[in-house]
Amino acid sequence: MGIRAAVVVCVTSFMLGSLFTHWIADSLTLWKSPTTDQNIWTAATYYSIIANGPAEIQYTVAAIVLLGATTILWSLRDGRAGNLMFDGGSIFLFCTSIWMYLSSVLPSIFSLFKNLPPHPSTHAVPQELHSAIFDVASNNLICSVALTGVLGLQAGRFWAESADTDDLESLRAKPTPGPSRAKTPQSEE
């Protein structure tokens, strides 16, 4: 249990850290009001850097995510109720994050930000970029919340299993009451 849980927690934390780096762009769009064209353009430039980054980084992130998914699925093998409940929820949230990132975030980043047009100093940022940046930022936030849920479920599993272990140890430590023997005059002889 220890190594498996450590791998899941480390991979999930890595993925959360990766998503939190997008805060540079997402905070300018989701949490600033009103959102200016300069904020949109800064976020678009950030996503353009990601879209044009080295492929090795993307392969490394994909390998780490695959390791996490494999580890969570592997723990379902023993079929214990705790694994089915906590790991089932973890798998759902983990896979939801991966699906959302693969189906929404990455296609937007690679289709819209790979070849970013020149800085629109004299005219407004295209509306297509506005909505795409808001969608990417929203999806990043949803993925972050889901991955935080994975960490919460893994912490809950650890707590539940440690409570079960404590209960078993306390039961083993208690002497089991046996039939009491009353002293009879015959047994004193």
Side-chain angles (χ1 to χ4, degrees):
M1 194 291 281
I3 293 174
R4 185 212 55 83
V7 169
V8 172
V9 168
C10 287
V11 168
T12 304
S13 298
F14 172 81
M15 291 170 62
L16 273 170
S18 297
L19 288 170
F20 290 158
T21 60
H22 301 324
W23 183 253
I24 296 166
D26 297 346
S27 67
L28 297 174
T29 55
L30 289 180
W31 308 106
K32 300 277 184 185
S33 181
T35 304
T36 64
D37 280 350
Q38 183 59 40
N39 291 354
I40 296 293
W41 189 254
T42 301
T45 304
Y46 172 80
Y47 287 121
S48 175
I49 292 169
I50 290 174
N52 293 307
E56 291 82 14
I57 292 174
Q58 297 161 11
Y59 295 138
T60 303
V61 170
I64 291 170
V65 169
L66 184 62
L67 172 68
T70 303
T71 305
I72 291 176
L73 289 171
W74 178 37
S75 69
L76 286 176
R77 243 179 9 144
D78 66 6
R80 292 187 337 209
N83 285 359
L84 295 176
M85 182 175 64
F86 290 111
D87 288 337
S90 294
I91 288 168
F92 175 76
L93 292 173
F94 197 87
C95 290
T96 298
S97 295
I98 293 171
W99 176 79
M100 181 167 285
Y101 211 74
L102 290 176
S103 67
S104 297
V105 175
L106 290 180
S108 292
I109 288 175
F110 288 117
S111 67
L112 296 173
F113 302 107
K114 188 83 171 165
N115 299 313
L116 198 61
H119 187 280
S121 56
T122 58
H123 59 291
V125 176
Q127 186 60 35
E128 180 182 67
L129 285 182
H130 271 268
S131 56
I133 286 174
F134 280 108
D135 288 344
V136 168
S138 298
N139 290 334
N140 282 338
L141 182 62
I142 292 168
C143 290
S144 296
V145 170
L147 291 173
T148 303
V150 171
L151 290 179
L153 285 168
Q154 292 301 308
R157 179 179 181 211
F158 175 77
W159 177 78
E161 287 181 356
S162 65
D164 288 346
T165 303
D166 292 344
D167 290 345
L168 285 174
E169 288 175 6
S170 68
L171 286 175
R172 289 183 187 145
K174 285 184 182 179
T176 56
S180 61
R181 296 175 131 188
K183 288 189 177 182
T184 61
Q186 296 164 344
S187 64
E188 291 178 3
E189 295 177 19

